Amino acid sequence: MSTAIVRIVSELRSIVAAWRREGLRVAVVPTMGALHEGHLGLVRAALAKADRVIVTLFVNPKQFNNADDLAAYPRTEHDDAAKIAPVGAHILYAPDAADMYPQGFATTVSVSGVSEGLCGTFRPGHFDGVATVVTKLLLQTGADLAFFGEKDFQQLQIVRQLVRDLDIPVEIVACPTVREADGLAMSSRNTRLSLAERNRAPRLAEILVQTAKQVNSGESVGRALTDGREAILAAGFSKVEYLELRADGDLASIVTLDRPARLLVAAWLGQTRLIDNLQVPWPRPEAVHQAAA
Ligand code: AMP
């Protein structure tokens, strides 16, 4: 099957309108391209729930707080189109930046609360850029369902919040993080790692697992996080931006494990910033075990 490439929103809207007249359910998978199995997992999940799937490809300048990062972001549209066609996506919507943000564009969607702290602290303006582009893509596609990865966990909560607040009629579907065989969360940025860095990178996920175990074993959260940060640096990462335990839904800070939680991390390996996160179950497994005994 071939995937049509659409660049103009009016063309996209008329295709979607025709689908709607046929009573078809439409899903969107927003991406910045350089597609990997994590993205393709979202496309497959979308195809399982909808009749028509639009993959969007837009390297959104508004969400880059660093011009070098934007310039270095991989752009592989031809390969991306070749990857999604066999999976069965119907449209690759790849608008130009000048059409998304024409001269005079003056609106910013800004979500408070969940966007504060974590990546919000270290990438000023990033989540305003994300919220603005996601709002546009949801309105442009008019999709019934939109698929996002848990890999970008804070982003996922921001999208849920804006959809709720702005009454956008779309169901947000979250998909688990897809990992390489050695545990490294797949990311378009992984291609920037040197061989030596790539060999070290899976330690980040291992340390999340280890830290989650420590928290689950009843260790103080502060102690477990300090040990985790030290372990990341000892593994050869140059800087830990954050390693935090937050409530699973609203990302509130938590100091003791008293509700379902997430460990979230951002750390630099050489010139590459990696993020990852892991669910920390609650009640603690042995607490459940003891209660049942
Ligand atoms: P990006 O192209 O990095 O902006 O990501 C587009 C979508 O793919 C977002 O919803 C991401 O959370 C999701 N995504 C990226 N990497 C992964 C992964 N390893 N597993 C699951 N979803 C992912």
Side-chain angles (χ1 to χ4, degrees), residues 30-33 36 38-39 42 73 148-149 151-152 155 176-178 186:
T31 83
M32 296 206 300
H36 49 65
H39 298 112
L42 298 182
Y73 204 84
F148 291 86
K151 158 83 187 350
D152 300 275
Q155 168 177 287
T177 301
V178 177
M186 289 190 184

PDB file of all heavy atoms in Angstrom, residues 30-33 36 38-39 42 73 148-149 151-152 155 176-178 186, ligand 1:
ATOM      1  N   PRO A  30       1.069  12.078  15.809  1.00  0.00           N
ATOM      2  CA  PRO A  30       2.001  13.191  15.576  1.00  0.00           C
ATOM      3  C   PRO A  30       3.458  12.771  15.810  1.00  0.00           C
ATOM      4  O   PRO A  30       3.764  12.122  16.823  1.00  0.00           O
ATOM      5  CB  PRO A  30       1.587  14.250  16.618  1.00  0.00           C
ATOM      6  CG  PRO A  30       0.221  13.830  17.077  1.00  0.00           C
ATOM      7  CD  PRO A  30       0.222  12.333  16.971  1.00  0.00           C
ATOM      8  N   THR A  31       4.340  13.132  14.870  1.00  0.00           N
ATOM      9  CA  THR A  31       5.768  12.817  15.017  1.00  0.00           C
ATOM     10  C   THR A  31       6.617  13.951  14.438  1.00  0.00           C
ATOM     11  O   THR A  31       6.125  14.792  13.698  1.00  0.00           O
ATOM     12  CB  THR A  31       6.193  11.531  14.256  1.00  0.00           C
ATOM     13  OG1 THR A  31       6.432  11.856  12.882  1.00  0.00           O
ATOM     14  CG2 THR A  31       5.163  10.431  14.336  1.00  0.00           C
ATOM     15  N   MET A  32       7.900  13.883  14.776  1.00  0.00           N
ATOM     16  CA  MET A  32       8.855  14.793  14.145  1.00  0.00           C
ATOM     17  C   MET A  32       9.737  14.024  13.166  1.00  0.00           C
ATOM     18  O   MET A  32      10.812  14.494  12.783  1.00  0.00           O
ATOM     19  CB  MET A  32       9.704  15.502  15.199  1.00  0.00           C
ATOM     20  CG  MET A  32       8.861  16.393  16.103  1.00  0.00           C
ATOM     21  SD  MET A  32       9.779  17.756  16.818  1.00  0.00           S
ATOM     22  CE  MET A  32      11.026  16.867  17.721  1.00  0.00           C
ATOM     23  N   GLY A  33       9.293  12.854  12.760  1.00  0.00           N
ATOM     24  CA  GLY A  33      10.029  12.092  11.754  1.00  0.00           C
ATOM     25  C   GLY A  33      11.213  11.345  12.336  1.00  0.00           C
ATOM     26  O   GLY A  33      11.291  11.126  13.545  1.00  0.00           O
ATOM     27  N   HIS A  36      11.233   5.418  13.972  1.00  0.00           N
ATOM     28  CA  HIS A  36      11.801   4.151  14.433  1.00  0.00           C
ATOM     29  C   HIS A  36      10.650   3.269  14.914  1.00  0.00           C
ATOM     30  O   HIS A  36       9.475   3.658  14.812  1.00  0.00           O
ATOM     31  CB  HIS A  36      12.839   4.399  15.535  1.00  0.00           C
ATOM     32  CG  HIS A  36      12.362   5.308  16.642  1.00  0.00           C
ATOM     33  ND1 HIS A  36      11.332   4.974  17.485  1.00  0.00           N
ATOM     34  CD2 HIS A  36      12.751   6.559  17.010  1.00  0.00           C
ATOM     35  CE1 HIS A  36      11.126   5.948  18.344  1.00  0.00           C
ATOM     36  NE2 HIS A  36      11.962   6.938  18.078  1.00  0.00           N
ATOM     37  N   GLY A  38       9.461   2.705  17.745  1.00  0.00           N
ATOM     38  CA  GLY A  38       8.575   3.346  18.722  1.00  0.00           C
ATOM     39  C   GLY A  38       7.426   4.050  18.015  1.00  0.00           C
ATOM     40  O   GLY A  38       6.252   3.903  18.383  1.00  0.00           O
ATOM     41  N   HIS A  39       7.774   4.803  16.966  1.00  0.00           N
ATOM     42  CA  HIS A  39       6.730   5.489  16.185  1.00  0.00           C
ATOM     43  C   HIS A  39       5.839   4.465  15.473  1.00  0.00           C
ATOM     44  O   HIS A  39       4.614   4.609  15.437  1.00  0.00           O
ATOM     45  CB  HIS A  39       7.363   6.384  15.113  1.00  0.00           C
ATOM     46  CG  HIS A  39       8.225   7.487  15.641  1.00  0.00           C
ATOM     47  ND1 HIS A  39       9.588   7.512  15.452  1.00  0.00           N
ATOM     48  CD2 HIS A  39       7.936   8.616  16.331  1.00  0.00           C
ATOM     49  CE1 HIS A  39      10.103   8.611  15.992  1.00  0.00           C
ATOM     50  NE2 HIS A  39       9.117   9.291  16.542  1.00  0.00           N
ATOM     51  N   LEU A  42       3.151   3.087  17.460  1.00  0.00           N
ATOM     52  CA  LEU A  42       1.988   3.977  17.589  1.00  0.00           C
ATOM     53  C   LEU A  42       1.093   3.847  16.354  1.00  0.00           C
ATOM     54  O   LEU A  42      -0.140   3.849  16.458  1.00  0.00           O
ATOM     55  CB  LEU A  42       2.432   5.444  17.716  1.00  0.00           C
ATOM     56  CG  LEU A  42       3.286   5.879  18.913  1.00  0.00           C
ATOM     57  CD1 LEU A  42       3.550   7.379  18.858  1.00  0.00           C
ATOM     58  CD2 LEU A  42       2.615   5.540  20.221  1.00  0.00           C
ATOM     59  N   TYR A  73      18.578  18.190  14.170  1.00  0.00           N
ATOM     60  CA  TYR A  73      17.521  17.174  14.253  1.00  0.00           C
ATOM     61  C   TYR A  73      17.441  16.422  12.922  1.00  0.00           C
ATOM     62  O   TYR A  73      17.400  17.045  11.852  1.00  0.00           O
ATOM     63  CB  TYR A  73      16.168  17.802  14.595  1.00  0.00           C
ATOM     64  CG  TYR A  73      15.252  16.779  15.230  1.00  0.00           C
ATOM     65  CD1 TYR A  73      15.311  16.515  16.589  1.00  0.00           C
ATOM     66  CD2 TYR A  73      14.389  16.017  14.444  1.00  0.00           C
ATOM     67  CE1 TYR A  73      14.524  15.535  17.165  1.00  0.00           C
ATOM     68  CE2 TYR A  73      13.593  15.038  15.012  1.00  0.00           C
ATOM     69  CZ  TYR A  73      13.661  14.813  16.371  1.00  0.00           C
ATOM     70  OH  TYR A  73      12.890  13.833  16.943  1.00  0.00           O
ATOM     71  N   PHE A 148      -0.016   8.850  21.406  1.00  0.00           N
ATOM     72  CA  PHE A 148       1.228   9.427  21.927  1.00  0.00           C
ATOM     73  C   PHE A 148       1.970   8.360  22.717  1.00  0.00           C
ATOM     74  O   PHE A 148       1.352   7.455  23.300  1.00  0.00           O
ATOM     75  CB  PHE A 148       0.924  10.619  22.853  1.00  0.00           C
ATOM     76  CG  PHE A 148       0.376  11.815  22.102  1.00  0.00           C
ATOM     77  CD1 PHE A 148      -0.984  11.920  21.835  1.00  0.00           C
ATOM     78  CD2 PHE A 148       1.224  12.813  21.639  1.00  0.00           C
ATOM     79  CE1 PHE A 148      -1.491  13.007  21.130  1.00  0.00           C
ATOM     80  CE2 PHE A 148       0.731  13.899  20.933  1.00  0.00           C
ATOM     81  CZ  PHE A 148      -0.627  13.996  20.677  1.00  0.00           C
ATOM     82  N   GLY A 149       3.306   8.498  22.775  1.00  0.00           N
ATOM     83  CA  GLY A 149       4.119   7.521  23.491  1.00  0.00           C
ATOM     84  C   GLY A 149       4.346   7.924  24.940  1.00  0.00           C
ATOM     85  O   GLY A 149       4.512   9.107  25.242  1.00  0.00           O
ATOM     86  N   LYS A 151       6.995   7.363  26.299  1.00  0.00           N
ATOM     87  CA  LYS A 151       8.408   7.771  26.308  1.00  0.00           C
ATOM     88  C   LYS A 151       8.534   9.245  26.724  1.00  0.00           C
ATOM     89  O   LYS A 151       9.416   9.621  27.467  1.00  0.00           O
ATOM     90  CB  LYS A 151       8.986   7.542  24.905  1.00  0.00           C
ATOM     91  CG  LYS A 151      10.199   8.334  24.539  1.00  0.00           C
ATOM     92  CD  LYS A 151      11.432   7.668  25.059  1.00  0.00           C
ATOM     93  CE  LYS A 151      12.711   8.435  24.899  1.00  0.00           C
ATOM     94  NZ  LYS A 151      12.735   9.609  24.107  1.00  0.00           N
ATOM     95  N   ASP A 152       7.622  10.078  26.192  1.00  0.00           N
ATOM     96  CA  ASP A 152       7.605  11.510  26.536  1.00  0.00           C
ATOM     97  C   ASP A 152       6.454  11.720  27.522  1.00  0.00           C
ATOM     98  O   ASP A 152       5.389  12.230  27.167  1.00  0.00           O
ATOM     99  CB  ASP A 152       7.427  12.342  25.262  1.00  0.00           C
ATOM    100  CG  ASP A 152       8.567  12.099  24.291  1.00  0.00           C
ATOM    101  OD1 ASP A 152       9.604  12.749  24.417  1.00  0.00           O
ATOM    102  OD2 ASP A 152       8.435  11.203  23.430  1.00  0.00           O
ATOM    103  N   GLN A 155       5.047  15.227  28.337  1.00  0.00           N
ATOM    104  CA  GLN A 155       4.328  15.709  27.148  1.00  0.00           C
ATOM    105  C   GLN A 155       2.926  15.085  27.062  1.00  0.00           C
ATOM    106  O   GLN A 155       1.940  15.765  26.758  1.00  0.00           O
ATOM    107  CB  GLN A 155       5.145  15.356  25.912  1.00  0.00           C
ATOM    108  CG  GLN A 155       4.430  15.521  24.589  1.00  0.00           C
ATOM    109  CD  GLN A 155       5.352  15.214  23.425  1.00  0.00           C
ATOM    110  OE1 GLN A 155       6.239  15.995  23.125  1.00  0.00           O
ATOM    111  NE2 GLN A 155       5.157  14.089  22.767  1.00  0.00           N
ATOM    112  N   PRO A 176       2.931   2.257  25.429  1.00  0.00           N
ATOM    113  CA  PRO A 176       4.141   2.072  26.236  1.00  0.00           C
ATOM    114  C   PRO A 176       5.422   2.359  25.444  1.00  0.00           C
ATOM    115  O   PRO A 176       5.418   2.270  24.213  1.00  0.00           O
ATOM    116  CB  PRO A 176       4.095   0.596  26.643  1.00  0.00           C
ATOM    117  CG  PRO A 176       2.850   0.031  26.094  1.00  0.00           C
ATOM    118  CD  PRO A 176       2.156   1.030  25.243  1.00  0.00           C
ATOM    119  N   THR A 177       6.473   2.682  26.172  1.00  0.00           N
ATOM    120  CA  THR A 177       7.768   2.964  25.539  1.00  0.00           C
ATOM    121  C   THR A 177       8.320   1.713  24.872  1.00  0.00           C
ATOM    122  O   THR A 177       8.373   0.649  25.486  1.00  0.00           O
ATOM    123  CB  THR A 177       8.762   3.454  26.612  1.00  0.00           C
ATOM    124  OG1 THR A 177       8.209   4.624  27.216  1.00  0.00           O
ATOM    125  CG2 THR A 177      10.125   3.775  26.006  1.00  0.00           C
ATOM    126  N   VAL A 178       8.727   1.857  23.620  1.00  0.00           N
ATOM    127  CA  VAL A 178       9.361   0.748  22.902  1.00  0.00           C
ATOM    128  C   VAL A 178      10.867   0.873  23.096  1.00  0.00           C
ATOM    129  O   VAL A 178      11.427   1.972  22.978  1.00  0.00           O
ATOM    130  CB  VAL A 178       9.000   0.788  21.398  1.00  0.00           C
ATOM    131  CG1 VAL A 178       9.704  -0.322  20.638  1.00  0.00           C
ATOM    132  CG2 VAL A 178       7.489   0.693  21.220  1.00  0.00           C
ATOM    133  N   MET A 186      13.876   3.714  22.602  1.00  0.00           N
ATOM    134  CA  MET A 186      14.122   4.182  21.228  1.00  0.00           C
ATOM    135  C   MET A 186      13.873   5.677  21.142  1.00  0.00           C
ATOM    136  O   MET A 186      12.929   6.196  21.747  1.00  0.00           O
ATOM    137  CB  MET A 186      13.217   3.441  20.253  1.00  0.00           C
ATOM    138  CG  MET A 186      13.628   2.015  20.086  1.00  0.00           C
ATOM    139  SD  MET A 186      12.727   1.260  18.728  1.00  0.00           S
ATOM    140  CE  MET A 186      13.326  -0.407  18.880  1.00  0.00           C
TER     141      MET A 186
HETATM  142  P1  AMP B   1       8.890  12.438  18.321  1.00  0.00           P
HETATM  143  O1  AMP B   1       8.998  12.167  16.867  1.00  0.00           O
HETATM  144  O2  AMP B   1      10.124  12.103  19.078  1.00  0.00           O
HETATM  145  O3  AMP B   1       8.334  13.807  18.617  1.00  0.00           O
HETATM  146  O4  AMP B   1       7.817  11.423  18.879  1.00  0.00           O
HETATM  147  C1  AMP B   1       6.549  11.290  18.292  1.00  0.00           C
HETATM  148  C2  AMP B   1       5.711  10.383  19.141  1.00  0.00           C
HETATM  149  O5  AMP B   1       6.345   9.114  19.233  1.00  0.00           O
HETATM  150  C3  AMP B   1       5.536  10.899  20.574  1.00  0.00           C
HETATM  151  O6  AMP B   1       4.206  10.617  21.008  1.00  0.00           O
HETATM  152  C4  AMP B   1       6.543  10.089  21.333  1.00  0.00           C
HETATM  153  O7  AMP B   1       6.228   9.922  22.697  1.00  0.00           O
HETATM  154  C5  AMP B   1       6.462   8.767  20.591  1.00  0.00           C
HETATM  155  N1  AMP B   1       7.675   7.987  20.801  1.00  0.00           N
HETATM  156  C6  AMP B   1       8.958   8.366  20.575  1.00  0.00           C
HETATM  157  N2  AMP B   1       9.798   7.386  20.948  1.00  0.00           N
HETATM  158  C7  AMP B   1       9.037   6.375  21.432  1.00  0.00           C
HETATM  159  C8  AMP B   1       9.313   5.091  21.987  1.00  0.00           C
HETATM  160  N3  AMP B   1      10.558   4.631  22.124  1.00  0.00           N
HETATM  161  N4  AMP B   1       8.281   4.326  22.370  1.00  0.00           N
HETATM  162  C9  AMP B   1       6.997   4.762  22.258  1.00  0.00           C
HETATM  163  N5  AMP B   1       6.668   5.960  21.742  1.00  0.00           N
HETATM  164  C10 AMP B   1       7.675   6.751  21.334  1.00  0.00           C
END
